Amino acid sequence: MTLTTEGLTKTFGGVRAVSGANVAIKEGRVNGLIGPNGSGKTTFFNLVTGLIRPDSGRVLHQGRDITGWSPHRIAHAGLGRTFQLCRIFPRMSVLDNMLVAVRRTRLRELLAGTRATAEVERARHWLHRMGIDHLETAEARHLSYGQQKLLELAAVFMGDPGLVLLDEPAGGVNPALIDRISALVRDLNAEGRTFLVVEHNMDMVMNMCDHVIVFDRGAPISEGTPQAVQADPRVLEAYLGV
């Protein structure tokens, strides 16, 4: 398993957002993480990627305990992530957004006009993969929201992560772009990268993912193939109360 959690727990104001979660992400797969609103999915993401610290439990990546590591250190260890709302530098060019995502490229160097040739080439490669290489000189704020999503995803790959966590990649984008993102994820998975995707768009999850974990009340209640979890009475009860 590329990523596992053991008894992961986080409480906010007396409410357990994540409650003793034991999760195993299957390596080499496109894993989906679904559940009703408030089931703890994004909190789980934030715990795994170091944005918040758990009250108890552990996060293991490739067998190494990364609990409590900083987000920067976790990213450097091979875990990349996107956010529900794009995190980009709106007044920087698309290309500079890519370069500042690289640990070795400092913002001060970019402002001084210093760019490493190898990093520029890698940035252009990923912009091309996302289909937005023609926008490299544009300020990121002038991109459409869908293009900003693609830019954020491209920037994640500048760190060469083996595991990529996508937080609602379909949120706020049109159906054509949803299909495009799904195809990109499947292609990148075929090249050896593992994904964990939080998403409310069930059509996207069922078509893109080959292993699905269902959260309710801060912990997994079901997992398996998309077909298996769709037929699980516990999942129907969590979503529909039936």
Side-chain angles (χ1 to χ4, degrees):
M1 299 296 180
T2 183
L3 180 80
T4 58
T5 66
E6 299 175 352
L8 203 61
T9 299
K10 184 64 182 182
T11 301
F12 297 105
V15 176
R16 278 197 171 188
V18 174
S19 181
N22 298 314
V23 175
I25 304 306
K26 292 187 178 295
E27 191 163 10
R29 304 279 191 88
V30 180
N31 300 267
L33 179 60
I34 65 173
N37 287 331
S39 59
K41 303 181 301 294
T42 294
T43 300
F44 178 81
F45 256 38
N46 290 339
L47 289 167
V48 167
T49 55
L51 288 179
I52 56 178
R53 290 176 176 265
D55 297 327
S56 59
R58 299 196 304 163
V59 180
L60 304 173
H61 177 238
Q62 302 290 10
R64 180 166 53 171
D65 191 340
I66 63 170
T67 313
W69 284 20
S70 69
H72 178 81
R73 187 180 177 192
I74 289 173
H76 188 57
L79 277 75
R81 75 162 290 179
T82 63
F83 293 83
Q84 288 182 24
L85 299 177
C86 291
R87 294 195 177 187
I88 58 172
F89 295 93
R91 294 187 177 273
M92 292 176 64
S93 73
V94 166
L95 183 60
D96 283 346
N97 264 273
M98 295 290 290
L99 297 176
V100 81
V102 183
R103 180 173 178 267
R104 295 180 298 277
T105 302
R106 299 178 181 177
L107 183 58
R108 184 184 304 172
E109 294 169 347
L110 287 177
L111 294 174
T114 303
R115 293 171 170 177
T117 301
E119 290 174 356
V120 170
E121 290 177 354
R122 188 159 78 257
R124 286 175 172 155
H125 164 78
W126 285 111
L127 290 174
H128 178 72
R129 287 293 300 267
M130 302 298 156
I132 55 172
D133 48 314
H134 62 292
L135 298 169
E136 73 167 62
T137 61
E139 287 189 6
R141 62 187 173 132
H142 295 311
L143 273 58
S144 69
Y145 186 67
Q147 290 169 335
Q148 290 179 2
K149 284 246 183 184
L150 291 171
L151 172 58
E152 182 187 37
L153 182 57
V156 166
F157 286 105
M158 289 295 287
D160 196 28
L163 171 61
V164 182
L165 289 75
L166 305 181
D167 198 350
E168 297 194 24
V173 302
N174 62 54
L177 186 54
I178 290 173
D179 291 343
R180 186 171 167 188
I181 291 172
S182 296
L184 280 166
V185 169
R186 295 302 302 182
D187 287 347
L188 292 164
N189 173 247
E191 294 169 13
R193 298 182 194 272
T194 302
F195 287 84
L196 176 61
V197 184
V198 164
E199 185 51 66
H200 288 289
N201 186 317
M202 288 299 100
D203 286 340
M204 183 183 194
V205 170
M206 297 306 163
N207 291 327
M208 182 177 68
C209 299
D210 42 35
H211 180 254
V212 178
I213 302 163
V214 185
F215 256 45
D216 188 36
R217 300 177 185 178
I221 59 168
S222 179
E223 68 175 285
T225 65
Q227 296 75 20
V229 298
Q230 279 183 306
D232 191 328
R234 294 170 297 180
V235 176
L236 297 174
E237 182 179 3
Y239 271 101
L240 305 175
V242 297

